[in-house]
């Protein structure tokens, strides 16, 4: 039974980020996950220094996987020296469907109710 997950990676440099994104996309596929979307945010200033770095390259992965594969992903992230921080969250709705549902809900509200 696969579930939806969201994984945020902060990588130390943009050069490492390109390699890291490709590597983790292939690792996820190797572990039986299906990558739904990869959202590259690019280089951003960190709120505080991490390993004497003030900037990091942000990437968000949206994928579906069995819960057992998450342990492998966590371990790989902890051992990868290019990754400054990572976070994996279980989501209930894939990102594309979530946006569509919000738009549909907004369309369903009659104008008369909003004016009151």
């Amino acid at each position: 039974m696969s579930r939806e997950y969201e994984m945020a990676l902060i990588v130390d440099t943009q050069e490492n980020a390109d390699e890291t994104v490709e590597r983790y996309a292939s690792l996820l596929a190797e572990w039986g996950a299906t990558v739904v979307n990869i959202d590259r945010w690019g280089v951003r200033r960190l709120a505080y220094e991490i390993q004497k770095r003030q900037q990091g390259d942000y990437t968000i992965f949206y994928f579906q996987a069995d819960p057992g594969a998450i342990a492998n992903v966590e371990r790989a992230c902890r051992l990868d020296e290019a990754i400054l921080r990572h976070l994996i969250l279980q989501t209930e709705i894939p990102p594309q469907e979530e946006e569509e549902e919000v738009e549909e809900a907004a369309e369903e509200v009659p104008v008369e109710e909003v004016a009151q």
Side-chain angles (χ1 to χ4, degrees):
M1 177 180 177
S2 68
R3 299 179 182 167
E4 288 86 22
Y5 293 94
E6 180 177 317
M7 176 173 66
L9 297 179
I10 303 176
V11 182
D12 61 355
T13 63
Q14 189 171 3
E15 294 80 31
N16 284 344
D18 296 335
E19 298 170 9
T20 303
V21 168
E22 292 175 15
R23 184 171 61 244
Y24 279 89
S26 65
L27 282 175
L28 286 169
E30 181 180 314
W31 290 323
T34 304
V35 177
V36 176
N37 189 17
I38 299 174
D39 190 10
R40 296 289 306 270
W41 289 10
V43 177
R44 303 216 176 192
R45 184 168 174 79
L46 300 172
Y48 54 90
E49 281 190 11
I50 302 174
Q51 297 177 4
K52 298 184 180 180
R53 290 181 174 78
Q54 295 180 350
Q55 294 183 338
D57 192 283
Y58 287 70
T59 303
I60 311 294
F61 286 84
Y62 300 98
F63 63 96
Q64 296 174 337
D66 291 326
I70 300 304
N72 293 331
V73 177
E74 283 278 348
R75 184 174 191 278
C77 289
R78 281 194 313 267
L79 295 175
D80 195 339
E81 293 180 7
I83 296 178
L84 299 176
R85 290 285 188 272
H86 73 281
L87 178 67
I88 301 175
L89 301 173
Q90 181 179 347
T91 59
E92 295 181 14
I93 302 171
Q96 292 83 10
E97 292 178 15
E98 186 174 301
E99 293 173 8
E100 292 171 5
E101 288 180 11
V102 170
E103 291 174 6
E104 289 174 7
E107 293 172 2
E108 294 175 5
V109 177
V111 177
E112 297 83 30
E113 290 181 17
V114 176
Q116 294 176 356

